Amino acid sequence: SAVISQKPSRDICQRGTSLTIQCQVDSQVTMMFWYRQQPGQSLTLIATANQGSEATYESGFVIDKFPISRPNLTFSTLTVSNMSPEDSSIYLCSVEVQGLEKLFFGSGTQLSVL
Amino acid sequence: SQKIEQNSEALNIQEGKTATLTCNYTNYSPAYLQWYRQDPGRGPVFLLLIRENEKEKRKERLKVTFDTTLKQSLFHITASQPADSATYLCALTPTSGTYKYIFGTGTRLKVLA
């Protein structure tokens, strides 16, 4: 299994600013993902965080808006840049442990942009 | 277009009854399908996985069925308890294309005491 610590758990931010979300895993994992969950909506994959290389972004998400770092196999950050109220959402870090066909999730970051 | 659909309306049932949640998909060929539970303010927690060649999977009071002809999975909670109240998400992983998990919108279950 994997235990994920994600912070901050929530934040209220001003339009035009940026927020960096941190994700720490208690074991080395290959696959690490960032999801967004808007109110009443499904989890949408933003990107796969790749260790030592650029993240792989899904359609509709770009590096300039959501830069991701993954310096090692236990840690990643997601930055939400130049925020607007449309970015208000829950952001979730998740990992897949090799050999286990399931995802483990952090508790999420509830972001509100004013 | 590709879709995964769960009943967006909340499901209210009486304690002790069996809750049945539905997950329908279109234009996917899933390698396997999973069910997760999500409580308010928390990330989803994995419950069960069923593969494309399996019809049914059980774990304690939980049962999942998978019908690839109907393109549907059913998730059952028997002898439901108020503590089972949560949002339940289905997710599938396609057999082809990019390796990823694709989630439905979830169904909120409320078990009434």
Side-chain angles (χ1 to χ4, degrees):
Chain A
S1 69
V3 177
I4 301 172
S5 173
Q6 185 176 338
K7 55 183 180 182
S9 58
R10 61 178 63 240
D11 207 340
I12 301 172
C13 300
Q14 294 297 319
R15 181 195 298 263
T17 62
S18 297
L19 175 71
T20 295
I21 302 167
Q22 297 182 1
C23 178
Q24 178 75 54
V25 190
D26 68 343
S27 57
Q28 293 187 341
V29 293
T30 304
M31 305 300 291
M32 185 177 277
F33 308 97
W34 288 97
Y35 283 87
R36 182 173 72 183
Q37 187 175 29
Q38 294 177 305
Q41 306 265 337
S42 173
L43 274 71
T44 301
L45 182 62
I46 297 172
T48 302
N50 301 309
Q51 192 264 328
S53 65
E54 195 172 283
T56 304
Y57 289 85
E58 297 299 307
S59 176
F61 298 96
V62 295
I63 188 171
D64 290 344
K65 176 67 177 177
F66 298 101
I68 289 171
S69 79
R70 179 128 188 238
N72 56 54
L73 292 176
T74 64
F75 186 78
S76 177
T77 66
L78 168 74
T79 299
V80 186
S81 303
N82 188 26
M83 287 184 285
S84 67
E86 292 71 38
D87 295 319
S88 298
S89 187
I90 297 172
Y91 293 85
L92 291 154
C93 168
S94 74
V95 303
E96 187 189 61
V97 174
Q98 193 164 4
L100 299 180
E101 293 157 321
K102 58 185 174 183
L103 292 177
F104 297 88
F105 285 87
S107 291
T109 297
Q110 173 79 62
L111 171 61
S112 298
V113 184
L114 304 177
Chain B
S1 63
Q2 296 177 313
K3 282 192 292 188
I4 303 173
E5 294 181 315
Q6 296 183 254
N7 193 339
S8 59
E9 293 183 12
L11 177 64
N12 293 332
I13 65 165
Q14 208 63 40
E15 182 177 10
K17 300 293 186 184
T18 296
T20 299
L21 285 67
T22 304
C23 177
N24 296 299
Y25 59 93
T26 55
N27 295 324
Y28 283 112
S29 179
Y32 48 86
L33 190 144
Q34 305 173 341
W35 285 87
Y36 290 79
R37 168 182 173 144
Q38 187 174 24
D39 291 286
R42 312 290 292 179
V45 175
F46 172 82
L47 296 174
L48 279 170
L49 176 151
I50 188 164
R51 301 182 188 282
E52 59 173 335
N53 60 350
E54 296 175 320
K55 297 290 186 189
E56 183 179 296
K57 205 67 139 341
R58 292 175 184 262
K59 178 183 175 183
E60 298 172 354
R61 294 186 296 113
L62 309 179
K63 183 178 84 171
V64 174
T65 63
F66 198 8
D67 189 326
T68 54
T69 301
L70 292 178
K71 298 187 184 298
Q72 181 181 77
S73 175
L74 298 179
F75 177 78
H76 307 272
I77 306 175
T78 59
S80 59
Q81 306 165 1
D84 295 325
S85 299
T87 295
Y88 291 86
L89 305 163
C90 68
L92 65 79
T93 296
T95 55
S96 60
T98 308
Y99 174 85
K100 65 174 73 171
Y101 295 76
I102 304 162
F103 283 84
T105 52
T107 299
R108 193 165 74 248
L109 172 68
K110 186 169 183 179
V111 181
L112 306 170

